[in-house]
Amino acid sequence: MTPARDLGLTLAGGGNRAFYQTGVLEALGGHLLDRVAAVGCVSAGSCVITTLLSGRTDEVRRYWAARRAHVTRNFAWGNLLRGRNPTPHAPIFRDTLVHTFRDGGLERIRAAPFPVWILAAAFPRTLPASAAVAVGLTGYSLEKRLRKGQVHPEWGQALGFRPFVMDARDCETVDDLTDLVMASSSTPPFTPVGAFRGTRLLDGGMVDNVPAFVAEAHPAVVRNLVLLTRPYPRGPSWRDGSRWYVAPTGETPANRWDYTSAERVWATIAMGQREAEGVHATVLEAFLSG
């Protein structure tokens, strides 16, 4: 009997910490995807789900490991003083996305039986773009520091950032989908201000770094599995209405923008697999079975 597609799947942002989600999803496999009615994702979470749906996970891991092998520092002050980009992330990230979506990857994503809604942030109408970048990123970092237990940030929308949501399946070319994921992940100076079909965008976390509302816009969604990328004071999992939040039990081995160590990324994936099969197994089975 085919299970009902009534499940929302939300993937939070978090840079390299989102590889924890990769481990959870790999542990759950088709048991989860067969129930999904809609996906809502942001920033690195959009990279996680599109890579999974591309069917090219192994190829992408090998490519990314080789592409970043030369990186020994995540920020080079010398480059900044010379007027060059001080971070190595943007070209590596873009090249990896292009590699992911080639050779049938894009076509498999477009064939997904559910929308894959990716959230980016449209600029406030009342602020110049340069000021909005500085104010938005500063406010985002400050809110996380001051409100560590807050799951859904609020300051970005208060500053005027607006949701820009696009279904990955509506992207017709590799470059188009790459631009969308890059825009959703736009966090200067690590990645540049996004540009998607002529619209300038920032990281969707400016609106909500845990965008549960996106998947819940689909009328078939009656429950929502929300995969987080950092620990919270409430513990590794909890229910809030129709949502079930799943978080790492502790800090992940990989931090947000560390491109110097592939080993810490692999360890973060392994952590997600281990916790999905261990500490989260009972609640996930109960939630997925309805």
Side-chain angles (χ1 to χ4, degrees):
M1 182 176 177
T2 303
R5 287 194 177 276
D6 63 357
L7 180 68
L9 176 63
T10 297
L11 290 94
N16 284 337
R17 297 195 307 256
F19 282 105
Y20 179 85
Q21 298 168 333
T22 297
V24 173
L25 293 174
E26 289 183 352
L28 296 175
H31 184 59
L32 168 67
L33 294 182
D34 286 347
R35 291 163 167 77
V36 169
V39 172
C41 54
V42 65
S43 195
S46 65
C47 179
V48 167
I49 191 62
T50 53
T51 299
L52 177 67
L53 295 175
S54 76
R56 288 174 49 78
T57 300
D58 291 340
E59 296 95 323
V60 171
R61 286 182 190 170
R62 288 193 295 268
Y63 179 88
W64 180 82
R67 182 66 180 81
R68 55 130 303 275
H70 69 285
V71 176
T72 58
R73 289 183 293 175
N74 291 303
F75 197 97
W77 288 103
N79 285 352
L80 184 64
L81 296 174
R82 298 183 189 97
R84 300 203 299 262
N85 192 327
T87 67
H89 304 80
I92 296 173
F93 190 23
R94 174 170 285 277
D95 289 350
T96 302
L97 290 171
V98 168
H99 184 78
T100 302
F101 304 145
R102 284 178 176 166
D103 298 328
L106 174 65
E107 289 73 18
R108 294 185 192 97
I109 294 165
R110 284 170 54 86
F114 44 76
V116 183
W117 285 320
I118 296 177
L119 172 69
F123 281 78
R125 297 186 178 94
T126 56
L127 288 174
S130 57
V133 171
V135 171
L137 293 176
T138 300
Y140 177 75
S141 299
L142 188 60
E143 183 177 16
K144 286 200 303 181
R145 184 179 297 273
L146 296 178
R147 307 173 76 186
K148 293 184 178 180
Q150 185 84 4
V151 178
H152 300 280
E154 299 172 345
W155 290 9
Q157 293 187 69
L159 290 169
F161 285 96
R162 295 165 288 119
F164 177 100
V165 179
M166 183 79 181
D167 187 347
R169 301 179 304 173
D170 292 334
C171 292
E172 298 181 355
T173 68
V174 167
D175 286 341
D176 205 27
L177 184 51
T178 299
D179 287 345
L180 178 61
V181 176
M182 289 288 292
S184 179
S185 310
S186 170
T187 313
F190 297 104
T191 52
V193 172
F196 179 73
R197 297 181 181 176
T199 300
R200 300 184 76 198
L201 300 163
L202 272 184
D203 190 303
M206 297 296 105
V207 174
D208 192 341
N209 196 46
V210 186
F213 74 94
V214 173
E216 290 166 2
H218 196 292
V221 170
V222 298
R223 55 211 174 102
N224 192 357
L225 178 62
V226 183
L227 300 183
L228 304 169
T229 61
R230 63 183 178 89
Y232 285 83
R234 294 184 69 173
S237 65
W238 67 91
R239 192 160 194 163
D240 187 356
S242 63
R243 299 174 183 171
W244 195 280
Y245 292 83
V246 171
T249 57
E251 295 295 337
T252 60
N255 65 32
R256 292 191 69 198
W257 287 109
D258 181 15
Y259 274 24
T260 66
S261 171
E263 289 72 21
R264 284 193 283 271
V265 167
W266 312 148
T268 300
I269 295 172
M271 179 182 181
Q273 293 173 326
R274 184 172 62 251
E275 295 192 351
E277 295 167 349
V279 67
H280 299 312
T282 301
V283 294
L284 284 171
E285 178 62 32
F287 187 71
L288 293 179
S289 64

